[in-house]
Amino acid sequence: MPATSPDTQSDKIPVTVLTGYLGAGKTTLLNRILSEPHGKKFAVVVNEFGEIGIDNDLVVGADEEVFEMNNGCICCTVRGDLIRIIDGLLRRKGDFDGIIVETTGLADPAPVAQTFFVDETVGAKTTLDAVVTVADAKWLKDRLKDAPEAKNQIAFADVILLNKTDLVSETELKDVEMRIRAINPFARIHHTQRSNIAIDKVLGQGAFDLDRIQAIDPDFLEGGHKHFHDEDMQSYSFSSDKPLNPDKFFPWIQELTQREGPNILRSKGILAFKDDPDRFVFQGVHMILDGDHQRPWRADEAKLSRIVFIGRKLNRAALEAGFLSCVA
């Protein structure tokens, strides 16, 4: 099967909606898709929950066009922006083989998927290939208890990557898969680590089933789908144009996430350390942190450190003071 299978009957552009709760591994999957030598060209739309956009800079694709939407959640306030971006892309048909829409970790996929059916122009020229959901094997059970978005992401999925399987035992893995099956018995489930999966198991699936979606959401095609976010969810972003001291930053972020980890659902940053020619990218989910050098800073870009925290019961002043205390 080719990486993407254009709809040969209608010659529509295939669209993949990539979703999953905060920190599940969506951007890692997107980067794997874009990095594989498939010879295809994609347009990528990235939506982010937060004041400062970072995800756009975490996408590695060199040939892809990346459109960032960070002034609201794609499933509610900025869906009009999504329609305008896709409408603009469709006017340049032939420049790309498919569209990938990466939603925020807090997005309800239903209104995003709905866009490709209720908007006349978009629906006439695109086909929703699949809703692909990345699920965190370690934290999904907790999120199913306190985050309705996580349940909706599982329910609407055509393909599920049960990711980070290396962080749980076999018993825990079977348990979380049973929870997924109880919500969605139809999705294709793949076990992954670091979102490592062959592209032909994610794209070109032709898996979106409108009948199934209408069975769980009878008003799916009615339009005006409303989504209300968790009002307790907070997102704080900070930046500094002064280099950071790694000997200050790492002890601070490790102590912070060990102490406040249950409330910090997601943390991520692109950092400029003193005397370091490379951009350093770090990713965090609760108390689990990961980071590495990404690439050298380009001569034409500002060495700006940006950091984002998403969670509940966050103390903005304390987070900002802690971050700024790491300046070299």
Side-chain angles (χ1 to χ4, degrees):
M1 179 182 293
T4 53
S5 300
D7 187 330
T8 53
Q9 292 184 338
S10 61
D11 199 28
K12 292 183 176 182
I13 298 294
V15 178
T16 300
V17 174
L18 178 56
T19 186
Y21 204 70
L22 296 165
K26 296 185 297 298
T27 304
T28 302
L29 173 60
L30 178 59
N31 282 336
R32 287 192 181 277
I33 293 171
L34 299 181
S35 300
E36 283 205 11
H38 43 62
K40 301 291 183 179
K41 185 176 174 67
F42 299 101
V44 180
V45 182
V46 178
N47 185 215
E48 189 168 0
F49 180 79
E51 302 159 316
I52 299 176
I54 281 183
D55 284 358
N56 183 43
D57 287 321
L58 298 178
V59 177
V60 300
D63 298 328
E64 282 70 26
E65 293 190 64
V66 179
F67 300 87
E68 185 178 14
M69 304 165 60
N70 60 1
N71 57 340
C73 185
I74 198 171
C75 70
C76 31
T77 57
V78 297
R79 194 158 62 134
D81 289 351
L82 173 64
I83 293 172
R84 283 189 288 275
I85 288 174
I86 292 179
D87 187 49
L89 288 170
L90 295 174
R91 296 177 189 276
R92 300 159 38 200
K93 189 173 180 181
D95 287 353
F96 51 88
D97 300 290
I99 299 172
I100 301 173
V101 180
E102 181 190 6
T103 70
T104 77
L106 297 174
D108 181 344
V112 181
Q114 188 189 57
T115 301
F116 299 93
F117 292 90
V118 300
D119 183 84
E120 186 174 347
T121 301
V122 171
K125 297 181 179 179
T126 64
T127 179
L128 182 54
D129 183 71
V131 175
V132 178
T133 297
V134 184
D136 187 324
K138 183 171 180 60
W139 298 108
L140 180 64
K141 288 192 297 181
D142 290 338
R143 298 292 75 81
L144 291 177
K145 296 175 185 174
D146 63 11
E149 295 92 346
K151 184 175 181 179
N152 289 343
Q153 290 164 0
I154 295 295
F156 268 76
D158 303 299
V159 178
I160 295 174
L161 270 63
L162 185 49
N163 195 34
K164 306 185 184 181
T165 57
D166 52 323
L167 301 183
V168 297
S169 67
E170 281 295 322
T171 300
E172 292 171 316
L173 184 60
K174 290 179 181 176
D175 185 35
V176 71
E177 185 164 349
M178 287 177 62
R179 302 290 182 93
I180 291 173
R181 281 297 180 213
I183 298 169
N184 184 343
F186 303 104
R188 305 166 190 171
I189 298 179
H190 303 285
H191 293 181
T192 59
Q193 298 176 14
R194 292 184 175 272
S195 299
N196 189 3
I197 189 169
I199 190 172
D200 63 2
K201 295 185 184 301
V202 179
L203 303 184
Q205 298 298 291
F208 187 80
D209 187 341
L210 183 59
D211 291 338
R212 181 178 76 81
I213 294 304
Q214 287 186 291
I216 60 177
D217 184 356
D219 298 327
F220 180 74
L221 295 180
E222 296 302 317
H225 197 295
K226 298 296 184 183
H227 175 225
F228 300 95
H229 288 292
D230 182 347
E231 294 182 354
D232 295 329
M233 194 64 67
Q234 302 163 298
S235 174
Y236 295 133
S237 309
F238 311 106
S239 64
S240 174
D241 58 3
K242 299 176 182 176
L244 303 183
N245 183 337
D247 294 332
K248 294 180 180 179
F249 176 79
F250 288 113
W252 168 69
I253 194 70
Q254 288 167 358
E255 189 279 330
L256 173 69
T257 51
Q258 289 302 310
R259 174 168 45 85
E260 299 291 338
N263 294 325
I264 301 175
L265 297 173
R266 184 80 167 99
S267 57
K268 52 190 171 183
I270 296 175
L271 309 174
F273 288 125
K274 184 180 180 181
D275 301 325
D276 189 337
D278 293 340
R279 296 183 4 155
F280 188 90
V281 173
F282 95 93
Q283 309 263 7
V285 178
H286 293 294
M287 288 79 79
I288 299 175
L289 296 175
D290 192 12
D292 203 352
H293 292 88
Q294 184 192 42
R295 62 166 173 78
W297 289 95
R298 293 193 302 265
D300 62 345
E301 66 181 341
K303 291 184 177 180
L304 184 69
S305 292
R306 292 167 287 167
I307 192 168
V308 175
F309 295 96
I310 302 173
R312 303 184 180 97
K313 301 178 182 178
L314 303 183
N315 184 326
R316 177 176 189 138
L319 291 172
E320 183 171 23
F323 174 65
L324 295 179
S325 73
C326 299
V327 170

